[in-house]
Amino acid sequence: MKEILRAEHITKSYSDKTVLKDIGLTLGEGELVCLLGVSGVGKSTLFNVLSGLTMPDEGRVLLNGDGSGDWQDITGRSGYLSYMLQKDLLLPHKYVIDNVALPLTLKGVKKKEARERASEYFERFGLSGTEKKYPAQLSGGMRQRAALLRTYLTGNKVALLDEPFSALDTITRTAMQEWFLEVMEEIKLSTIFITHDVDEAILISDRIYIMRGTPAGLSVDITVSDPKPREPSYTTSEEFVAYKKKIRGILFS
């Protein structure tokens, strides 16, 4: 698999506290990698470094966006990776179609054309019929679908998703995970996905990085080799239970 993103020796401190220490990771083209760790371990800090919002004290972030093999140093430079936060951040006064099309209009695409281009994806993302609704009229799951489509329409090759389903109730979250697997198989967006949910990481990932310690480091890289998309019943399989036992043993050792 061709690598599209690489982080090397990332270290970050705030005042006298080192949060990240010598972190390295890779992401392949079309791959979905989960960054798994307990709350507060530094996952969001690492995302801020990867996205260019925060400058590391040491290390660098490299992007092979055009697949040519010529790596571009994007350390401390925002706008190269798409970043979806836990909150959907949809603008309450705008229709869903205009919220989703926002990345296009910010690039100078006229409103009518931006709406037309965005509307082509509404059925694929399960949003048909919501174009002229306001965010407050949507369920939490539908709002997250809209936010993910908006992230996709930025046109960047890599997306960073920071616990996008954490605020949803259990039933909605399970349905969203199933939908997410299906749509990601279609769009093949290279993605790093933050979670503190072991089950979620195993269900959706191609690979899992386990983040732990103080300061935080990436202790292991686990490949989940079972074929995707994985049905909800996969969570009761022997393979799933074996992965879960292994990961919990690393997290809490």
Side-chain angles (χ1 to χ4, degrees), residues 96-117:
V96 172
I97 184 67
D98 294 321
N99 268 285
V100 167
L102 187 60
L104 301 175
T105 55
L106 290 175
K107 291 179 180 180
V109 179
K110 292 183 178 180
K111 184 176 181 179
K112 181 180 179 181
E113 182 184 349
R115 281 182 166 186
E116 290 173 351
R117 286 166 59 176

Side-chain angles (χ1 to χ4, degrees), residues 76-91:
R77 302 166 65 189
S78 61
Y80 290 89
L81 309 184
S82 302
Y83 193 173
M84 179 177 165
L85 301 171
Q86 294 177 29
K87 295 182 179 180
D88 57 68
L89 299 179
L90 298 177
L91 301 174

Side-chain angles (χ1 to χ4, degrees), residues 77-243:
R77 302 166 65 189
S78 61
Y80 290 89
L81 309 184
S82 302
Y83 193 173
M84 179 177 165
L85 301 171
Q86 294 177 29
K87 295 182 179 180
D88 57 68
L89 299 179
L90 298 177
L91 301 174
H93 61 284
K94 286 184 175 290
Y95 287 137
V96 172
I97 184 67
D98 294 321
N99 268 285
V100 167
L102 187 60
L104 301 175
T105 55
L106 290 175
K107 291 179 180 180
V109 179
K110 292 183 178 180
K111 184 176 181 179
K112 181 180 179 181
E113 182 184 349
R115 281 182 166 186
E116 290 173 351
R117 286 166 59 176
S119 66
E120 295 174 4
Y121 294 92
F122 266 62
E123 182 176 357
R124 182 184 298 180
F125 278 73
L127 290 166
S128 295
T130 68
E131 291 87 344
K132 293 295 181 70
K133 292 185 177 181
Y134 291 102
Q137 296 175 282
L138 303 186
S139 66
M142 294 295 276
R143 289 172 66 106
Q144 290 302 88
R145 291 184 188 218
L148 183 61
L149 176 52
R150 181 183 58 190
T151 301
Y152 176 65
L153 289 177
T154 61
N156 292 327
K157 300 293 185 181
V158 175
L160 308 176
L161 308 184
D162 189 351
E163 298 193 80
F165 308 144
S166 62
L168 303 176
D169 63 80
T170 302
I171 294 174
T172 304
R173 183 171 184 167
T174 300
M176 282 295 293
Q177 289 166 346
E178 185 177 358
W179 167 81
F180 180 72
L181 280 168
E182 292 175 358
V183 76
M184 291 300 286
E185 283 297 294
E186 289 186 37
I187 65 178
K188 300 292 184 183
L189 179 62
S190 305
T191 303
I192 303 178
F193 187 113
I194 282 181
T195 185
H196 60 261
D197 186 318
V198 175
D199 288 15
E200 181 171 70
I202 300 169
L203 182 64
I204 69 175
S205 297
D206 297 306
R207 287 188 299 124
I208 301 170
Y209 283 106
I210 297 178
M211 193 171 182
R212 64 174 187 164
T214 306
L218 298 183
S219 59
V220 70
D221 171 6
I222 296 173
T223 298
V224 184
S225 55
D226 297 309
K228 293 166 67 179
R230 301 174 187 129
E231 300 295 329
S233 59
Y234 174 70
T235 59
T236 61
S237 68
E238 292 182 6
E239 293 83 0
F240 182 93
V241 172
Y243 280 122

